[in-house]
Amino acid sequence: MRKRVIALGFFDGVHLGHAALLQKTRARADELGLTAAAMSFDTHPDTLVFGCAVPLINTAQERERLMQTLFGIDEVILAHFDEAMMHMPWRDFITGYLVGGLHAQHVVCGHDFRFGDHGAGTPEKLREVCAGLGIGCDVIEKVTLDGQTVSSTYIRQLLQTGEAARAARFLGHRHLVSGVVVHGAHKGSQIGFPTANVPFAPGVLVPKRGVYLAEAAAGGSRFPALVNVGVHPTAGALAQPVLEAWLQGFDGDLYGREISVELAAFTRPERPFSSMQALREQLARDKNDLEVFFRK
């Protein structure tokens, strides 16, 4: 039976607020000689609770990867959020699910964590019940930066308005987009900028359309990258936006392979060009911006 220290939350974006919580979880696990775990949900609770889809900063797989690589979390538990979970009495969530089902020996949550039917469970109730069970409980206070509370909601707003550099400050890392490379129209190859096209996963936030300076991981190596988020208006508009990345220094075939792209800075909105030659000339200027950025 694996005994765990469990971080509680949805962890969308795995931002600076989550960092304080996950660091505490790792530290407690080391102190107690237990597994450092994080419990999240496969879908955002608001989708069911309020009947409105929340555009996610990251996929569940990306959240798991970020928690493990950045904070050394051993195990990420993705619970299915359904009617039964939504209406579970708050006390049962602690005694039956966390302690009885997941073998929690210590839990860590944020100051605004809510759980159980109608969100009746609070950090104070969690702490009280855990104390009665002999289970440790840490509650992490809110984290602020520049006088602004760090939250997934605020970071979504930054990404939707193209403020990738500021989003990276609040995330504590550059915004991650990953996926499997698919075939496009191959127009980039014709003008000397072969690109990798990555569709956005269903339900995931699409950042502001335009060109970004970025860094990409592919084939075990990292490359400076020019990224366009949009619908390719010059080369024939697409029905849905995609992420299109040119990896500086990469030579090879990425089709069918997964790449990860980290958005560092937004440089210009997406716009149509009068010709492919005009687009080529603009991409040459974008490439210069990329080289200057990574020489800093």
Side-chain angles (χ1 to χ4, degrees), residues 62-142:
E62 289 166 349
R63 279 186 279 141
E64 181 174 3
R65 185 189 312 170
L66 289 167
M67 285 190 274
Q68 291 176 333
T69 58
L70 296 179
F71 302 105
I73 297 300
D74 300 314
E75 180 184 21
V76 177
I77 301 161
L78 287 176
H80 180 49
F81 193 83
D82 55 12
E83 291 281 346
M85 178 66 75
M86 182 171 67
H87 294 299
M88 183 182 295
W90 68 266
R91 191 179 294 271
D92 290 353
F93 178 78
I94 303 170
T95 60
Y97 185 71
L98 293 180
V99 179
L102 300 184
H103 311 299
Q105 296 294 297
H106 193 105
V107 294
V108 186
C109 72
H111 70 285
D112 57 352
F113 183 65
R114 294 292 183 274
F115 57 95
D117 192 26
H118 290 89
T122 65
E124 292 73 23
K125 291 178 179 177
L126 178 63
R127 183 181 275 150
E128 180 182 350
V129 172
C130 284
L133 295 171
I135 302 295
C137 178
D138 289 303
V139 178
I140 306 301
E141 296 304 315
K142 72 176 180 179

Side-chain angles (χ1 to χ4, degrees), residues 194 249-255 257:
F250 178 83
D251 182 19
D253 184 355
L254 289 173
Y255 296 117
R257 297 167 63 184

Side-chain angles (χ1 to χ4, degrees), residues 226-249:
L226 271 180
V227 167
N228 185 76
V229 173
V231 294
H232 305 173
T234 304
L238 302 174
Q240 298 293 332
V242 299
L243 183 146
E244 183 182 19
W246 174 72
L247 280 56
Q248 186 177 39

Side-chain angles (χ1 to χ4, degrees), residues 180-190 193-199 230-232 235-238 240 242-245 253-256:
V180 175
V181 177
V182 300
H183 285 275
H186 302 284
K187 296 290 186 180
S189 298
Q190 297 173 17
F193 286 87
T195 57
N197 289 264
V198 178
V231 294
H232 305 173
L238 302 174
Q240 298 293 332
V242 299
L243 183 146
E244 183 182 19
D253 184 355
L254 289 173
Y255 296 117

